[in-house]
Amino acid sequence: MKMNSVTLKILLSLFAINSVSLYLYFSSHPDYFRHHLQRPSLHRRSNAADHHLFPPPTTSRAKPWPILPSYLPWSLNSTIPFRSCEGYFGNGFTTRVDILKPELHRKSNSGAGNGGGWFRCFYSDTLRSSICEGGRIRLDPEKIRMSAGGEMLESVIGRREEEEMPVFEVGAFDVDGGEGLKGGGKKLMSDQLLDLYVQSGAVSRHAMRELIGSIQLVGTEEFECSEDIGNKEISVRRNLERGPHAFFGRSQLAIQFEVLKEYSMRVSSFGSMLKQLQFELHPNELVSDKDEPPFVAYEWVEEPTLLITRYEYANLFHTVTDWYSAYVASRVTGLPNRPHLVFVDGHCVTPLEETWKAMFSSLRYAKNFSGTVCFRHGIFTPLGYETAIFQGLTERIDCRGASAHDLWQQPDDHKTARLSEFGEMIRAAFGFPVDRHRNSKPVSGHNVLFVRREDYLAHPRHGGKVQSRLSNEQQVFDSLKSWALNHLQCKVNVINGIFAHMPMKEQVRAIQDASVIVGAHGAGLTHIVSATPKTVVLEIISSEYVRPHFQLISQWKGLEYHAIYLDGSRANPTAVIDKLSSILKSIGC
């Protein structure tokens, strides 16, 4: 009995020691809790009845969110202080406004029980901006007047900007108002609500406000997005993905063939499935393109989709603000995976689309849909002009970058890790490592990335010439190259950052591998949002372009920043070398 008592005490002591050890370990590694125990907070719903709005998809083509070392929960917190760092850069969208509440427990004609549509906005007092989302939203691209969008730049040279911006006719966007609503023509949001929650601000023509202001409510009977067809499409597609034997024989194949014939004139994807099934039934018969249905009446998008309008789409700085707005909207609305994108504008393709496609699940242009399209869950993304990255240029944002680990243990309203999280998202989207323990620079030496300004054709109204901000840029670059070859204290690699002629992935790779980023003031320096924590920024500023953009981004990310102010636009190469030498010495070179 005495032995048993001693053994029990030993076991209890070991258990206590193990528990304390585990607590100490995980308290110093909050990444585990953020990505495991607190993961449900990503799907924040402030109303317990909201779960019916987001039925789990039968299949998903969406990319999962990567695990990011700087991630902190985006759960709704009504106590976030006005104009705090989280208010500016995180989830400051604390005012929820239910514009259209869903009809609960209502069965559709097909018995699917999907009810009517819904619509709500989350408003930020700090940013004076809203993220709006809704369900059972119908888009008719024929009722949006703008160019098609997505064309190759060379094919639209000279096109006016006005042609690329959307003009919404009545019926361009509708929301299912439920069975009780008869007729149409009722606006979803009044002008008074728009003035409160979707403000124009300093934007002369606010395309997202115009889009939301154009949305009309229609009754379920007029909401022509057949639930039944959507369910049949999922069922038939599943069987086709499993192969012909999933139909349990030739007789079942014939039945599926007749089902597809019934619906193929109305649903685009059924046309291709019809051809596949016809080949299974009659493999020796040639299936011609003439058998494809001649038009599409509607199409369902089952997974969450961001609807985005852009302005300065060919400029990296402004596109980064659009990327950030899309990322924040995805997190604030609690999306379980990376959403799909629809550009509701008529801009042509630019190299920046490579990053859009890497960060999100898919990308389409609104006018590229061949007919009416219906969204199970649509999110209306604020303009990039409404992000803190842009607003900080004209109003003081008292925030400094800090590590998520430190903020997790000691929150501070004047510090943020959100831009670091966002930069990690960009790097992870391209498959680069973001583990904080792998942030050391390459052992082959310190990379000094010199971001160049080169001529390139940016958009249809661009002449192809880039205005120089550093008139002797080539001389400065050549001097740095020569100096690096004779630098004996440590190995220094001067990288020629001709971003205008590099794929976006290679641009991000160059930023990630850099110990020091040097460049004249220009949009290319915006890439520092993806820089690793120990990177140093050296900006060369001519007297004509004294702007705070990159000093602020460095501050908000917690990067060390230096500037060389010029009297004119010509730099003294020796002065640049001296400054760079001092920076390298400070980081151990």
Side-chain angles (χ1 to χ4, degrees):
M1 187 71 178
K2 185 176 181 182
M3 277 292 292
N4 289 342
S5 176
V6 171
T7 302
L8 180 61
K9 288 180 179 178
I10 292 173
L11 289 174
L12 288 173
S13 299
L14 290 172
F15 176 78
I17 292 170
N18 188 53
S19 299
V20 171
S21 300
L22 286 171
Y23 171 78
L24 291 173
Y25 174 81
F26 285 125
S27 66
S28 64
H29 293 77
D31 291 347
Y32 178 89
F33 290 103
R34 290 202 298 273
H35 293 295
H36 292 79
L37 301 184
Q38 296 222 9
R39 196 67 176 178
S41 67
L42 282 179
H43 319 310
R44 181 237 353 117
R45 303 293 169 207
S46 53
N47 188 326
D50 280 356
H51 69 276
H52 76 283
L53 301 179
F54 307 94
T58 52
T59 58
S60 176
R61 294 176 296 149
K63 300 175 186 176
W65 291 110
I67 292 179
L68 307 174
S70 295
Y71 171 85
L72 288 170
W74 287 78
S75 51
L76 182 65
N77 180 1
S78 59
T79 63
I80 291 175
F82 178 61
R83 292 191 175 178
S84 64
C85 290
E86 185 64 8
Y88 274 113
F89 292 99
N91 193 355
F93 297 85
T94 55
T95 301
R96 169 173 162 168
V97 185
D98 287 294
I99 308 298
L100 176 65
K101 292 186 177 181
E103 294 184 3
L104 302 179
H105 312 298
R106 184 177 63 77
K107 297 289 184 179
S108 66
N109 293 333
S110 64
N114 288 285
W118 56 276
F119 198 92
R120 65 190 178 194
C121 296
F122 295 93
Y123 179 72
S124 165
D125 285 312
T126 298
L127 295 173
R128 303 173 297 282
S129 174
S130 285
I131 295 170
C132 299
E133 62 175 339
R136 294 180 61 79
I137 299 166
R138 182 176 64 192
L139 159 65
D140 186 348
E142 295 300 317
K143 295 180 180 177
I144 304 177
R145 286 187 280 119
M146 63 182 178
S147 48
E151 310 95 341
M152 297 305 294
L153 171 58
E154 295 76 12
S155 68
V156 293
I157 295 296
R159 183 168 66 189
R160 294 180 300 114
E161 186 175 17
E162 294 76 18
E163 298 176 59
E164 299 178 351
M165 297 308 297
V167 176
F168 303 101
E169 299 177 357
V170 174
F173 282 89
D174 295 320
V175 174
D176 181 358
E179 290 181 343
L181 181 64
K182 301 301 180 185
K186 181 182 178 183
K187 290 183 64 173
L188 173 70
M189 290 185 70
S190 65
D191 291 340
Q192 291 81 0
L193 282 175
L194 289 170
D195 289 340
L196 285 173
Y197 302 114
V198 193
Q199 301 163 13
S200 295
V203 182
S204 59
R205 188 185 158 202
H206 197 299
M208 185 53 70
R209 175 189 167 101
E210 292 176 6
L211 188 162
I212 294 174
S214 75
I215 299 176
Q216 304 231 348
L217 290 170
V218 298
T220 299
E221 291 182 3
E222 291 110 54
F223 190 79
E224 297 177 358
C225 284
S226 171
E227 210 70 52
D228 191 39
I229 289 178
N231 293 333
K232 288 181 184 297
E233 177 176 2
I234 292 169
S235 173
V236 175
R237 186 182 297 281
R238 271 183 179 172
N239 285 334
L240 283 173
E241 287 172 353
R242 295 174 191 154
H245 299 295
F247 291 123
F248 309 107
R250 193 174 183 81
S251 61
Q252 288 298 317
L253 269 176
I255 292 172
Q256 293 286 341
F257 182 71
E258 293 304 315
V259 169
L260 284 173
K261 280 178 64 178
E262 178 183 353
Y263 293 107
S264 63
M265 296 296 288
R266 287 180 283 170
V267 183
S268 60
S269 53
F270 276 22
S272 58
M273 288 193 283
L274 178 65
K275 289 171 66 175
Q276 182 179 344
L277 203 50
Q278 185 173 346
F279 178 78
E280 297 291 349
L281 280 168
H282 309 288
N284 296 322
E285 293 183 11
L286 179 65
V287 182
S288 121
D289 288 338
K290 293 181 181 179
D291 297 324
E292 192 85 34
F295 72 98
V296 183
Y298 42 75
E299 174 183 343
W300 268 106
V301 176
E302 297 290 339
E303 295 181 324
T305 301
L306 300 185
L307 299 161
I308 298 169
T309 58
R310 302 166 300 156
Y311 285 78
E312 300 176 62
Y313 64 100
N315 176 283
L316 179 63
F317 174 79
H318 290 286
T319 299
V320 166
T321 67
D322 286 332
W323 291 341
Y324 193 66
S325 183
Y327 178 73
V328 171
S330 305
R331 292 302 202 180
V332 168
T333 52
L335 302 185
N337 296 299
R338 290 186 256 173
H340 303 276
L341 306 178
V342 172
F343 286 161
V344 190
D345 58 50
H347 302 311
C348 65
V349 170
T350 73
L352 299 174
E353 283 193 18
E354 183 185 346
T355 306
W356 280 111
K357 292 175 180 177
M359 288 183 64
F360 299 95
S361 290
S362 71
L363 169 61
R364 294 180 74 172
Y365 284 78
K367 292 287 276 187
N368 291 175
F369 287 102
S370 52
T372 303
V373 59
C374 304
F375 300 94
R376 192 76 62 193
H377 183 191
I379 299 97
F380 298 83
T381 307
L383 302 182
Y385 296 136
E386 297 170 16
T387 63
I389 299 174
F390 184 82
Q391 291 192 21
L393 300 178
T394 54
E395 64 181 85
R396 185 171 182 270
I397 298 179
D398 183 18
C399 291
R400 295 193 173 274
S403 74
H405 177 270
D406 292 345
L407 290 174
W408 176 262
Q409 294 186 327
Q410 188 173 353
D412 189 327
D413 291 336
H414 297 289
K415 294 181 180 179
T416 181
R418 292 301 185 193
L419 279 192
S420 295
E421 174 186 338
F422 174 60
E424 290 165 0
M425 178 67 216
I426 294 174
R427 301 207 313 272
F430 284 115
F432 297 131
V434 293
D435 188 332
R436 67 168 178 237
H437 300 298
R438 298 181 64 182
N439 280 335
S440 58
K441 302 302 178 183
V443 294
S444 58
H446 286 279
N447 285 2
V448 174
L449 173 64
F450 196 107
V451 179
R452 309 288 298 274
R453 286 180 62 82
E454 293 286 317
D455 291 340
Y456 72 104
L457 193 61
H459 55 76
R461 296 157 296 282
H462 190 247
K465 291 291 183 181
V466 174
Q467 186 175 8
S468 174
R469 310 283 172 83
L470 179 59
S471 57
N472 63 330
E473 182 181 276
Q474 188 63 49
Q475 180 191 10
V476 173
F477 176 76
D478 291 341
S479 298
L480 288 177
K481 288 282 286 186
S482 298
W483 167 81
L485 290 173
N486 299 305
H487 189 264
L488 302 179
Q489 287 82 351
C490 67
K491 182 172 176 55
V492 176
N493 311 304
V494 178
I495 308 300
N496 193 7
I498 310 178
F499 283 177
H501 306 290
M502 293 168 62
M504 291 299 296
K505 183 174 182 178
E506 296 310 310
Q507 296 179 39
V508 175
R509 188 196 303 275
I511 290 289
Q512 175 180 260
D513 293 343
S515 296
V516 184
I517 299 171
V518 183
H521 182 90
L525 282 179
T526 318
H527 270 307
I528 63 176
V529 297
S530 302
T532 54
K534 301 298 183 182
T535 305
V536 182
V537 179
L538 174 58
E539 183 179 5
I540 303 172
I541 305 175
S542 75
S543 57
E544 295 181 12
Y545 290 96
V546 182
R547 306 284 191 276
H549 297 59
F550 310 114
Q551 179 184 359
L552 289 172
I553 293 175
S554 298
Q555 173 187 314
W556 298 330
K557 270 186 65 74
L559 300 178
E560 183 179 333
Y561 173 87
H562 300 268
I564 296 175
Y565 293 94
L566 307 179
D567 183 12
S569 63
R570 187 175 183 83
N572 181 346
T574 302
V576 177
I577 289 171
D578 289 345
K579 188 65 177 178
L580 179 59
S581 181
S582 173
I583 291 170
L584 287 170
K585 186 177 180 180
S586 72
I587 60 177
C589 177

